[in-house]
């Protein structure tokens, strides 16, 4: 539901301003994961303790989102400054439950308000489900970063963070650290 709220927070054309203002708080104010969960997720995914893979690890997250949070670190192997995107532990059962509820509501809405069928609420929920499942596999994000890098290799001034495959999995993504600004 947080992810749905985050998506809706960018749709001023669909959501009234007072609701939009509340939903926009979901962009930056998601509670952080417990540090023990972060450590365990990294341990399970990389098969090693944090201090075996990273010579430095900032326990304070840079960002916390609905699916993952990001920490700064330094790769032990190369002493490169990186960010680690760590998926929230055991997130899939909650997503499954939320999507089941959304699908139920979409079906009921279509049954009770026939005019809504033109908007295909059930189809929208199914597409949201597909997109969310892709987002849960960080290998998709890594692939897209690499593809973007290849496609725009000749563009001067464009910099894309390097993905460190040796420290990345479907639930942990390690990328070169870059300073930036929220758009």
């Amino acid at each position: 539901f947080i992810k749905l709220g985050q998506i809706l927070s960018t749709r001023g054309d669909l959501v009234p301003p007072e609701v939009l203002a509340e939903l926009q708080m979901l962009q930056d104010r998601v509670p952080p994961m417990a540090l023990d969960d972060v450590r365990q997720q990294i341990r399970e995914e990389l098969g090693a303790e944090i201090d075996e893979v990273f010579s430095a690890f900032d326990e304070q997250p840079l960002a916390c989102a609905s699916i993952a949070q990001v920490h700064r670190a330094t790769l032990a192997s190369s002493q490169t400054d990186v960010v680690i995107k760590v998926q929230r532990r055991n997130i899939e059962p909650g997503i499954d439950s939320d999507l089941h509820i959304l699908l139920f509501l979409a079906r009921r809405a279509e049954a009770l308000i026939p005019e809504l069928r033109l908007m295909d609420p059930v189809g929208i929920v199914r597409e949201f489900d597909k997109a969310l499942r892709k987002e849960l596999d960080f290998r998709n994000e890594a692939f897209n970063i690499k593809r973007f890098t290849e496609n725009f290799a000749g563009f001067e001034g464009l910099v894309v963070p390097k993905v460190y495959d040796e420290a990345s999995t479907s639930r942990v993504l390690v990328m070169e650290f870059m300073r930036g600004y929220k758009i």
Side-chain angles (χ1 to χ4, degrees):
F1 284 117
I2 291 173
K3 178 56 84 177
L4 180 61
Q6 289 172 332
I7 291 169
L8 288 173
S9 77
T10 65
R11 296 302 308 264
D13 57 324
L14 299 175
V15 180
E18 59 277 1
V19 174
L20 194 67
E22 291 297 316
L23 291 175
Q24 286 172 342
M25 287 194 267
L26 294 174
Q27 294 289 344
D28 298 313
R29 298 184 187 167
V30 178
M33 284 191 283
L35 190 55
D36 287 343
D37 286 343
V38 173
R39 290 182 182 281
Q40 186 169 352
Q41 185 77 311
I42 290 172
R43 182 182 318 113
E44 288 174 6
E45 289 299 310
L46 302 183
E49 298 295 328
I50 285 180
D51 59 1
E52 294 175 62
V53 181
F54 305 100
S55 58
F57 175 81
D58 189 350
E59 294 181 352
Q60 184 66 36
L62 282 176
C64 302
S66 57
I67 290 176
Q69 70 185 38
V70 177
H71 291 265
R72 275 192 77 175
T74 304
L75 275 175
S77 60
S78 63
Q79 294 305 305
T80 305
D81 288 334
V82 295
V83 292
I84 311 166
K85 183 176 180 180
V86 182
Q87 190 172 111
R88 290 181 180 274
R89 287 184 46 72
N90 304 315
I91 192 170
E92 289 188 53
I95 288 174
D96 291 342
S97 175
D98 290 352
L99 286 167
H100 183 75
I101 292 167
L102 284 173
L103 192 55
F104 170 79
L105 292 173
R107 285 183 177 135
R108 293 298 301 151
E110 281 186 4
L112 295 173
I113 309 168
E115 297 84 19
L116 283 179
R117 288 186 195 135
L118 291 172
M119 296 175 64
D120 192 17
V122 171
I124 291 169
V125 171
R126 287 189 176 131
E127 286 300 314
F128 181 60
D129 183 358
K130 281 180 13 186
L132 199 49
R133 302 287 173 196
K134 282 185 178 179
E135 193 173 338
L136 285 173
D137 187 343
F138 291 171
R139 293 173 298 193
N140 291 317
E141 185 174 347
F143 173 81
N144 289 331
I145 291 169
K146 291 175 200 169
R147 186 171 174 191
F148 186 89
T149 301
E150 290 172 14
N151 290 344
F152 293 94
F155 284 74
E156 189 176 319
L158 179 67
V159 183
V160 182
K162 177 184 176 190
V163 173
Y164 292 90
D165 290 322
E166 68 276 9
S168 297
T169 69
S170 62
R171 292 185 180 96
V172 172
L173 178 61
V174 178
M175 298 175 285
E176 174 184 12
F177 172 78
M178 295 184 152
R179 294 203 183 279
Y181 303 95
K182 183 175 177 180
I183 298 175

